[in-house]
Amino acid sequence: MAGTSGPVGLAARQWDQVHAHDLYDIECDTAATSAEGCARQIKDFLPRRPAPTAFE
């Protein structure tokens, strides 16, 4: 069962706060891309990421 690190539904309750900025440095579609493919996208992105990042 997911959610063992907190109450059940915690992620759902935090969704709006976590994604309120609606700005991401990179997005990976985990429904259409394998874990290896997503990791490759992130690895390829890191050397050329924009400055400032979404959190700066």
Side-chain angles (χ1 to χ4, degrees), residues 6-27:
V8 174
L10 181 61
R13 289 194 309 272
Q14 292 178 344
W15 178 268
D16 290 335
Q17 182 178 2
V18 170
H19 297 282
H21 54 77
D22 200 33
L23 178 66
Y24 306 95
D25 292 327
I26 185 171
E27 294 183 45

mmCIF file with all atom_site columns, all heavy atoms in Angstrom, residues 6-27:
data_model
loop_
_atom_site.group_PDB
_atom_site.id
_atom_site.type_symbol
_atom_site.label_atom_id
_atom_site.label_alt_id
_atom_site.label_comp_id
_atom_site.label_asym_id
_atom_site.label_entity_id
_atom_site.label_seq_id
_atom_site.pdbx_PDB_ins_code
_atom_site.Cartn_x
_atom_site.Cartn_y
_atom_site.Cartn_z
_atom_site.occupancy
_atom_site.B_iso_or_equiv
_atom_site.pdbx_formal_charge
_atom_site.auth_seq_id
_atom_site.auth_comp_id
_atom_site.auth_asym_id
_atom_site.auth_atom_id
_atom_site.pdbx_PDB_model_num
ATOM 1   N N   . GLY A 1 6  ? 2.934  8.388  5.575   1.00 0.00 ? 6  GLY A N   1
ATOM 2   C CA  . GLY A 1 6  ? 1.993  9.395  6.073   1.00 0.00 ? 6  GLY A CA  1
ATOM 3   C C   . GLY A 1 6  ? 0.578  8.876  5.974   1.00 0.00 ? 6  GLY A C   1
ATOM 4   O O   . GLY A 1 6  ? 0.348  7.746  5.558   1.00 0.00 ? 6  GLY A O   1
ATOM 5   N N   . PRO A 1 7  ? -0.370 9.689  6.358   1.00 0.00 ? 7  PRO A N   1
ATOM 6   C CA  . PRO A 1 7  ? -1.765 9.252  6.311   1.00 0.00 ? 7  PRO A CA  1
ATOM 7   C C   . PRO A 1 7  ? -2.219 8.947  4.884   1.00 0.00 ? 7  PRO A C   1
ATOM 8   O O   . PRO A 1 7  ? -1.737 9.566  3.937   1.00 0.00 ? 7  PRO A O   1
ATOM 9   C CB  . PRO A 1 7  ? -2.539 10.441 6.864   1.00 0.00 ? 7  PRO A CB  1
ATOM 10  C CG  . PRO A 1 7  ? -1.556 11.446 7.292   1.00 0.00 ? 7  PRO A CG  1
ATOM 11  C CD  . PRO A 1 7  ? -0.201 11.032 6.831   1.00 0.00 ? 7  PRO A CD  1
ATOM 12  N N   . VAL A 1 8  ? -3.138 8.018  4.753   1.00 0.00 ? 8  VAL A N   1
ATOM 13  C CA  . VAL A 1 8  ? -3.684 7.679  3.442   1.00 0.00 ? 8  VAL A CA  1
ATOM 14  C C   . VAL A 1 8  ? -4.334 8.931  2.853   1.00 0.00 ? 8  VAL A C   1
ATOM 15  O O   . VAL A 1 8  ? -5.059 9.652  3.540   1.00 0.00 ? 8  VAL A O   1
ATOM 16  C CB  . VAL A 1 8  ? -4.713 6.535  3.572   1.00 0.00 ? 8  VAL A CB  1
ATOM 17  C CG1 . VAL A 1 8  ? -5.397 6.279  2.235   1.00 0.00 ? 8  VAL A CG1 1
ATOM 18  C CG2 . VAL A 1 8  ? -4.027 5.275  4.068   1.00 0.00 ? 8  VAL A CG2 1
ATOM 19  N N   . GLY A 1 9  ? -4.041 9.219  1.613   1.00 0.00 ? 9  GLY A N   1
ATOM 20  C CA  . GLY A 1 9  ? -4.610 10.380 0.943   1.00 0.00 ? 9  GLY A CA  1
ATOM 21  C C   . GLY A 1 9  ? -3.785 11.646 1.099   1.00 0.00 ? 9  GLY A C   1
ATOM 22  O O   . GLY A 1 9  ? -4.181 12.705 0.634   1.00 0.00 ? 9  GLY A O   1
ATOM 23  N N   . LEU A 1 10 ? -2.643 11.553 1.750   1.00 0.00 ? 10 LEU A N   1
ATOM 24  C CA  . LEU A 1 10 ? -1.812 12.734 1.979   1.00 0.00 ? 10 LEU A CA  1
ATOM 25  C C   . LEU A 1 10 ? -1.398 13.375 0.657   1.00 0.00 ? 10 LEU A C   1
ATOM 26  O O   . LEU A 1 10 ? -1.494 14.598 0.497   1.00 0.00 ? 10 LEU A O   1
ATOM 27  C CB  . LEU A 1 10 ? -0.588 12.369 2.805   1.00 0.00 ? 10 LEU A CB  1
ATOM 28  C CG  . LEU A 1 10 ? 0.360  13.522 3.143   1.00 0.00 ? 10 LEU A CG  1
ATOM 29  C CD1 . LEU A 1 10 ? -0.355 14.586 3.969   1.00 0.00 ? 10 LEU A CD1 1
ATOM 30  C CD2 . LEU A 1 10 ? 1.570  13.000 3.902   1.00 0.00 ? 10 LEU A CD2 1
ATOM 31  N N   . ALA A 1 11 ? -0.949 12.590 -0.293  1.00 0.00 ? 11 ALA A N   1
ATOM 32  C CA  . ALA A 1 11 ? -0.523 13.138 -1.587  1.00 0.00 ? 11 ALA A CA  1
ATOM 33  C C   . ALA A 1 11 ? -1.677 13.845 -2.280  1.00 0.00 ? 11 ALA A C   1
ATOM 34  O O   . ALA A 1 11 ? -1.505 14.926 -2.845  1.00 0.00 ? 11 ALA A O   1
ATOM 35  C CB  . ALA A 1 11 ? 0.043  12.032 -2.475  1.00 0.00 ? 11 ALA A CB  1
ATOM 36  N N   . ALA A 1 12 ? -2.852 13.275 -2.234  1.00 0.00 ? 12 ALA A N   1
ATOM 37  C CA  . ALA A 1 12 ? -4.021 13.893 -2.855  1.00 0.00 ? 12 ALA A CA  1
ATOM 38  C C   . ALA A 1 12 ? -4.347 15.224 -2.190  1.00 0.00 ? 12 ALA A C   1
ATOM 39  O O   . ALA A 1 12 ? -4.674 16.208 -2.862  1.00 0.00 ? 12 ALA A O   1
ATOM 40  C CB  . ALA A 1 12 ? -5.225 12.957 -2.785  1.00 0.00 ? 12 ALA A CB  1
ATOM 41  N N   . ARG A 1 13 ? -4.240 15.284 -0.874  1.00 0.00 ? 13 ARG A N   1
ATOM 42  C CA  . ARG A 1 13 ? -4.539 16.528 -0.157  1.00 0.00 ? 13 ARG A CA  1
ATOM 43  C C   . ARG A 1 13 ? -3.483 17.599 -0.416  1.00 0.00 ? 13 ARG A C   1
ATOM 44  O O   . ARG A 1 13 ? -3.779 18.789 -0.348  1.00 0.00 ? 13 ARG A O   1
ATOM 45  C CB  . ARG A 1 13 ? -4.662 16.266 1.347   1.00 0.00 ? 13 ARG A CB  1
ATOM 46  C CG  . ARG A 1 13 ? -5.922 15.486 1.705   1.00 0.00 ? 13 ARG A CG  1
ATOM 47  C CD  . ARG A 1 13 ? -6.208 15.514 3.201   1.00 0.00 ? 13 ARG A CD  1
ATOM 48  N NE  . ARG A 1 13 ? -5.081 15.134 4.035   1.00 0.00 ? 13 ARG A NE  1
ATOM 49  C CZ  . ARG A 1 13 ? -4.802 13.880 4.403   1.00 0.00 ? 13 ARG A CZ  1
ATOM 50  N NH1 . ARG A 1 13 ? -5.573 12.887 3.997   1.00 0.00 ? 13 ARG A NH1 1
ATOM 51  N NH2 . ARG A 1 13 ? -3.765 13.627 5.184   1.00 0.00 ? 13 ARG A NH2 1
ATOM 52  N N   . GLN A 1 14 ? -2.265 17.211 -0.721  1.00 0.00 ? 14 GLN A N   1
ATOM 53  C CA  . GLN A 1 14 ? -1.189 18.180 -0.943  1.00 0.00 ? 14 GLN A CA  1
ATOM 54  C C   . GLN A 1 14 ? -1.015 18.572 -2.410  1.00 0.00 ? 14 GLN A C   1
ATOM 55  O O   . GLN A 1 14 ? -0.231 19.459 -2.732  1.00 0.00 ? 14 GLN A O   1
ATOM 56  C CB  . GLN A 1 14 ? 0.130  17.621 -0.409  1.00 0.00 ? 14 GLN A CB  1
ATOM 57  C CG  . GLN A 1 14 ? 0.148  17.494 1.081   1.00 0.00 ? 14 GLN A CG  1
ATOM 58  C CD  . GLN A 1 14 ? 1.447  16.903 1.601   1.00 0.00 ? 14 GLN A CD  1
ATOM 59  O OE1 . GLN A 1 14 ? 2.220  16.318 0.848   1.00 0.00 ? 14 GLN A OE1 1
ATOM 60  N NE2 . GLN A 1 14 ? 1.689  17.058 2.893   1.00 0.00 ? 14 GLN A NE2 1
ATOM 61  N N   . TRP A 1 15 ? -1.750 17.939 -3.306  1.00 0.00 ? 15 TRP A N   1
ATOM 62  C CA  . TRP A 1 15 ? -1.600 18.144 -4.744  1.00 0.00 ? 15 TRP A CA  1
ATOM 63  C C   . TRP A 1 15 ? -1.639 19.629 -5.115  1.00 0.00 ? 15 TRP A C   1
ATOM 64  O O   . TRP A 1 15 ? -0.755 20.131 -5.794  1.00 0.00 ? 15 TRP A O   1
ATOM 65  C CB  . TRP A 1 15 ? -2.677 17.384 -5.509  1.00 0.00 ? 15 TRP A CB  1
ATOM 66  C CG  . TRP A 1 15 ? -2.599 17.602 -6.981  1.00 0.00 ? 15 TRP A CG  1
ATOM 67  C CD1 . TRP A 1 15 ? -3.250 18.555 -7.713  1.00 0.00 ? 15 TRP A CD1 1
ATOM 68  C CD2 . TRP A 1 15 ? -1.803 16.880 -7.918  1.00 0.00 ? 15 TRP A CD2 1
ATOM 69  N NE1 . TRP A 1 15 ? -2.926 18.468 -9.030  1.00 0.00 ? 15 TRP A NE1 1
ATOM 70  C CE2 . TRP A 1 15 ? -2.039 17.440 -9.183  1.00 0.00 ? 15 TRP A CE2 1
ATOM 71  C CE3 . TRP A 1 15 ? -0.922 15.815 -7.798  1.00 0.00 ? 15 TRP A CE3 1
ATOM 72  C CZ2 . TRP A 1 15 ? -1.414 16.964 -10.322 1.00 0.00 ? 15 TRP A CZ2 1
ATOM 73  C CZ3 . TRP A 1 15 ? -0.311 15.345 -8.947  1.00 0.00 ? 15 TRP A CZ3 1
ATOM 74  C CH2 . TRP A 1 15 ? -0.561 15.915 -10.192 1.00 0.00 ? 15 TRP A CH2 1
ATOM 75  N N   . ASP A 1 16 ? -2.677 20.347 -4.687  1.00 0.00 ? 16 ASP A N   1
ATOM 76  C CA  . ASP A 1 16 ? -2.817 21.753 -5.078  1.00 0.00 ? 16 ASP A CA  1
ATOM 77  C C   . ASP A 1 16 ? -1.647 22.596 -4.602  1.00 0.00 ? 16 ASP A C   1
ATOM 78  O O   . ASP A 1 16 ? -1.143 23.448 -5.333  1.00 0.00 ? 16 ASP A O   1
ATOM 79  C CB  . ASP A 1 16 ? -4.127 22.328 -4.537  1.00 0.00 ? 16 ASP A CB  1
ATOM 80  C CG  . ASP A 1 16 ? -5.347 21.751 -5.253  1.00 0.00 ? 16 ASP A CG  1
ATOM 81  O OD1 . ASP A 1 16 ? -5.215 21.302 -6.410  1.00 0.00 ? 16 ASP A OD1 1
ATOM 82  O OD2 . ASP A 1 16 ? -6.426 21.754 -4.645  1.00 0.00 ? 16 ASP A OD2 1
ATOM 83  N N   . GLN A 1 17 ? -1.189 22.374 -3.399  1.00 0.00 ? 17 GLN A N   1
ATOM 84  C CA  . GLN A 1 17 ? -0.076 23.157 -2.854  1.00 0.00 ? 17 GLN A CA  1
ATOM 85  C C   . GLN A 1 17 ? 1.232  22.830 -3.575  1.00 0.00 ? 17 GLN A C   1
ATOM 86  O O   . GLN A 1 17 ? 1.991  23.729 -3.932  1.00 0.00 ? 17 GLN A O   1
ATOM 87  C CB  . GLN A 1 17 ? 0.072  22.898 -1.363  1.00 0.00 ? 17 GLN A CB  1
ATOM 88  C CG  . GLN A 1 17 ? 1.174  23.720 -0.735  1.00 0.00 ? 17 GLN A CG  1
ATOM 89  C CD  . GLN A 1 17 ? 1.279  23.485 0.764   1.00 0.00 ? 17 GLN A CD  1
ATOM 90  O OE1 . GLN A 1 17 ? 0.558  22.684 1.328   1.00 0.00 ? 17 GLN A OE1 1
ATOM 91  N NE2 . GLN A 1 17 ? 2.184  24.194 1.393   1.00 0.00 ? 17 GLN A NE2 1
ATOM 92  N N   . VAL A 1 18 ? 1.468  21.563 -3.810  1.00 0.00 ? 18 VAL A N   1
ATOM 93  C CA  . VAL A 1 18 ? 2.723  21.135 -4.436  1.00 0.00 ? 18 VAL A CA  1
ATOM 94  C C   . VAL A 1 18 ? 2.807  21.604 -5.888  1.00 0.00 ? 18 VAL A C   1
ATOM 95  O O   . VAL A 1 18 ? 3.872  22.000 -6.362  1.00 0.00 ? 18 VAL A O   1
ATOM 96  C CB  . VAL A 1 18 ? 2.874  19.598 -4.350  1.00 0.00 ? 18 VAL A CB  1
ATOM 97  C CG1 . VAL A 1 18 ? 4.028  19.101 -5.196  1.00 0.00 ? 18 VAL A CG1 1
ATOM 98  C CG2 . VAL A 1 18 ? 3.030  19.175 -2.899  1.00 0.00 ? 18 VAL A CG2 1
ATOM 99  N N   . HIS A 1 19 ? 1.680  21.609 -6.591  1.00 0.00 ? 19 HIS A N   1
ATOM 100 C CA  . HIS A 1 19 ? 1.679  21.940 -8.014  1.00 0.00 ? 19 HIS A CA  1
ATOM 101 C C   . HIS A 1 19 ? 1.102  23.321 -8.305  1.00 0.00 ? 19 HIS A C   1
ATOM 102 O O   . HIS A 1 19 ? 0.807  23.640 -9.461  1.00 0.00 ? 19 HIS A O   1
ATOM 103 C CB  . HIS A 1 19 ? 0.922  20.868 -8.795  1.00 0.00 ? 19 HIS A CB  1
ATOM 104 C CG  . HIS A 1 19 ? 1.571  19.522 -8.689  1.00 0.00 ? 19 HIS A CG  1
ATOM 105 N ND1 . HIS A 1 19 ? 2.686  19.187 -9.427  1.00 0.00 ? 19 HIS A ND1 1
ATOM 106 C CD2 . HIS A 1 19 ? 1.295  18.450 -7.906  1.00 0.00 ? 19 HIS A CD2 1
ATOM 107 C CE1 . HIS A 1 19 ? 3.057  17.953 -9.107  1.00 0.00 ? 19 HIS A CE1 1
ATOM 108 N NE2 . HIS A 1 19 ? 2.242  17.488 -8.194  1.00 0.00 ? 19 HIS A NE2 1
ATOM 109 N N   . ALA A 1 20 ? 0.949  24.170 -7.300  1.00 0.00 ? 20 ALA A N   1
ATOM 110 C CA  . ALA A 1 20 ? 0.332  25.488 -7.474  1.00 0.00 ? 20 ALA A CA  1
ATOM 111 C C   . ALA A 1 20 ? 1.109  26.371 -8.448  1.00 0.00 ? 20 ALA A C   1
ATOM 112 O O   . ALA A 1 20 ? 0.517  27.172 -9.175  1.00 0.00 ? 20 ALA A O   1
ATOM 113 C CB  . ALA A 1 20 ? 0.189  26.178 -6.125  1.00 0.00 ? 20 ALA A CB  1
ATOM 114 N N   . HIS A 1 21 ? 2.419  26.242 -8.464  1.00 0.00 ? 21 HIS A N   1
ATOM 115 C CA  . HIS A 1 21 ? 3.230  27.109 -9.321  1.00 0.00 ? 21 HIS A CA  1
ATOM 116 C C   . HIS A 1 21 ? 3.095  26.770 -10.792 1.00 0.00 ? 21 HIS A C   1
ATOM 117 O O   . HIS A 1 21 ? 3.316  27.608 -11.646 1.00 0.00 ? 21 HIS A O   1
ATOM 118 C CB  . HIS A 1 21 ? 4.702  27.053 -8.909  1.00 0.00 ? 21 HIS A CB  1
ATOM 119 C CG  . HIS A 1 21 ? 5.241  25.657 -8.865  1.00 0.00 ? 21 HIS A CG  1
ATOM 120 N ND1 . HIS A 1 21 ? 5.572  24.957 -9.984  1.00 0.00 ? 21 HIS A ND1 1
ATOM 121 C CD2 . HIS A 1 21 ? 5.469  24.830 -7.811  1.00 0.00 ? 21 HIS A CD2 1
ATOM 122 C CE1 . HIS A 1 21 ? 6.002  23.757 -9.652  1.00 0.00 ? 21 HIS A CE1 1
ATOM 123 N NE2 . HIS A 1 21 ? 5.953  23.656 -8.338  1.00 0.00 ? 21 HIS A NE2 1
ATOM 124 N N   . ASP A 1 22 ? 2.742  25.527 -11.102 1.00 0.00 ? 22 ASP A N   1
ATOM 125 C CA  . ASP A 1 22 ? 2.515  25.067 -12.482 1.00 0.00 ? 22 ASP A CA  1
ATOM 126 C C   . ASP A 1 22 ? 3.696  25.369 -13.396 1.00 0.00 ? 22 ASP A C   1
ATOM 127 O O   . ASP A 1 22 ? 3.527  25.652 -14.568 1.00 0.00 ? 22 ASP A O   1
ATOM 128 C CB  . ASP A 1 22 ? 1.225  25.666 -13.030 1.00 0.00 ? 22 ASP A CB  1
ATOM 129 C CG  . ASP A 1 22 ? 0.691  24.886 -14.219 1.00 0.00 ? 22 ASP A CG  1
ATOM 130 O OD1 . ASP A 1 22 ? 0.881  23.653 -14.254 1.00 0.00 ? 22 ASP A OD1 1
ATOM 131 O OD2 . ASP A 1 22 ? 0.090  25.496 -15.122 1.00 0.00 ? 22 ASP A OD2 1
ATOM 132 N N   . LEU A 1 23 ? 4.889  25.351 -12.839 1.00 0.00 ? 23 LEU A N   1
ATOM 133 C CA  . LEU A 1 23 ? 6.095  25.596 -13.598 1.00 0.00 ? 23 LEU A CA  1
ATOM 134 C C   . LEU A 1 23 ? 7.097  24.498 -13.271 1.00 0.00 ? 23 LEU A C   1
ATOM 135 O O   . LEU A 1 23 ? 7.387  24.255 -12.100 1.00 0.00 ? 23 LEU A O   1
ATOM 136 C CB  . LEU A 1 23 ? 6.682  26.964 -13.222 1.00 0.00 ? 23 LEU A CB  1
ATOM 137 C CG  . LEU A 1 23 ? 7.993  27.373 -13.887 1.00 0.00 ? 23 LEU A CG  1
ATOM 138 C CD1 . LEU A 1 23 ? 7.787  27.559 -15.388 1.00 0.00 ? 23 LEU A CD1 1
ATOM 139 C CD2 . LEU A 1 23 ? 8.504  28.658 -13.264 1.00 0.00 ? 23 LEU A CD2 1
ATOM 140 N N   . TYR A 1 24 ? 7.594  23.830 -14.292 1.00 0.00 ? 24 TYR A N   1
ATOM 141 C CA  . TYR A 1 24 ? 8.503  22.714 -14.080 1.00 0.00 ? 24 TYR A CA  1
ATOM 142 C C   . TYR A 1 24 ? 9.706  22.881 -14.987 1.00 0.00 ? 24 TYR A C   1
ATOM 143 O O   . TYR A 1 24 ? 9.601  23.378 -16.098 1.00 0.00 ? 24 TYR A O   1
ATOM 144 C CB  . TYR A 1 24 ? 7.806  21.385 -14.408 1.00 0.00 ? 24 TYR A CB  1
ATOM 145 C CG  . TYR A 1 24 ? 6.510  21.220 -13.665 1.00 0.00 ? 24 TYR A CG  1
ATOM 146 C CD1 . TYR A 1 24 ? 5.304  21.563 -14.252 1.00 0.00 ? 24 TYR A CD1 1
ATOM 147 C CD2 . TYR A 1 24 ? 6.498  20.756 -12.358 1.00 0.00 ? 24 TYR A CD2 1
ATOM 148 C CE1 . TYR A 1 24 ? 4.111  21.429 -13.548 1.00 0.00 ? 24 TYR A CE1 1
ATOM 149 C CE2 . TYR A 1 24 ? 5.309  20.615 -11.648 1.00 0.00 ? 24 TYR A CE2 1
ATOM 150 C CZ  . TYR A 1 24 ? 4.119  20.964 -12.260 1.00 0.00 ? 24 TYR A CZ  1
ATOM 151 O OH  . TYR A 1 24 ? 2.951  20.846 -11.573 1.00 0.00 ? 24 TYR A OH  1
ATOM 152 N N   . ASP A 1 25 ? 10.850 22.474 -14.494 1.00 0.00 ? 25 ASP A N   1
ATOM 153 C CA  . ASP A 1 25 ? 12.062 22.513 -15.311 1.00 0.00 ? 25 ASP A CA  1
ATOM 154 C C   . ASP A 1 25 ? 12.020 21.431 -16.387 1.00 0.00 ? 25 ASP A C   1
ATOM 155 O O   . ASP A 1 25 ? 12.527 21.614 -17.477 1.00 0.00 ? 25 ASP A O   1
ATOM 156 C CB  . ASP A 1 25 ? 13.310 22.315 -14.447 1.00 0.00 ? 25 ASP A CB  1
ATOM 157 C CG  . ASP A 1 25 ? 13.544 23.493 -13.514 1.00 0.00 ? 25 ASP A CG  1
ATOM 158 O OD1 . ASP A 1 25 ? 13.221 24.629 -13.898 1.00 0.00 ? 25 ASP A OD1 1
ATOM 159 O OD2 . ASP A 1 25 ? 14.041 23.272 -12.410 1.00 0.00 ? 25 ASP A OD2 1
ATOM 160 N N   . ILE A 1 26 ? 11.421 20.296 -16.056 1.00 0.00 ? 26 ILE A N   1
ATOM 161 C CA  . ILE A 1 26 ? 11.310 19.173 -16.996 1.00 0.00 ? 26 ILE A CA  1
ATOM 162 C C   . ILE A 1 26 ? 10.101 18.337 -16.592 1.00 0.00 ? 26 ILE A C   1
ATOM 163 O O   . ILE A 1 26 ? 9.741  18.293 -15.418 1.00 0.00 ? 26 ILE A O   1
ATOM 164 C CB  . ILE A 1 26 ? 12.595 18.301 -17.004 1.00 0.00 ? 26 ILE A CB  1
ATOM 165 C CG1 . ILE A 1 26 ? 12.506 17.216 -18.085 1.00 0.00 ? 26 ILE A CG1 1
ATOM 166 C CG2 . ILE A 1 26 ? 12.887 17.734 -15.642 1.00 0.00 ? 26 ILE A CG2 1
ATOM 167 C CD1 . ILE A 1 26 ? 13.805 16.445 -18.301 1.00 0.00 ? 26 ILE A CD1 1
ATOM 168 N N   . GLU A 1 27 ? 9.465  17.729 -17.553 1.00 0.00 ? 27 GLU A N   1
ATOM 169 C CA  . GLU A 1 27 ? 8.362  16.812 -17.288 1.00 0.00 ? 27 GLU A CA  1
ATOM 170 C C   . GLU A 1 27 ? 8.635  15.495 -17.997 1.00 0.00 ? 27 GLU A C   1
ATOM 171 O O   . GLU A 1 27 ? 9.091  15.494 -19.138 1.00 0.00 ? 27 GLU A O   1
ATOM 172 C CB  . GLU A 1 27 ? 7.039  17.392 -17.788 1.00 0.00 ? 27 GLU A CB  1
ATOM 173 C CG  . GLU A 1 27 ? 6.601  18.634 -17.037 1.00 0.00 ? 27 GLU A CG  1
ATOM 174 C CD  . GLU A 1 27 ? 5.258  19.156 -17.497 1.00 0.00 ? 27 GLU A CD  1
ATOM 175 O OE1 . GLU A 1 27 ? 4.334  18.328 -17.656 1.00 0.00 ? 27 GLU A OE1 1
ATOM 176 O OE2 . GLU A 1 27 ? 5.144  20.369 -17.696 1.00 0.00 ? 27 GLU A OE2 1
#
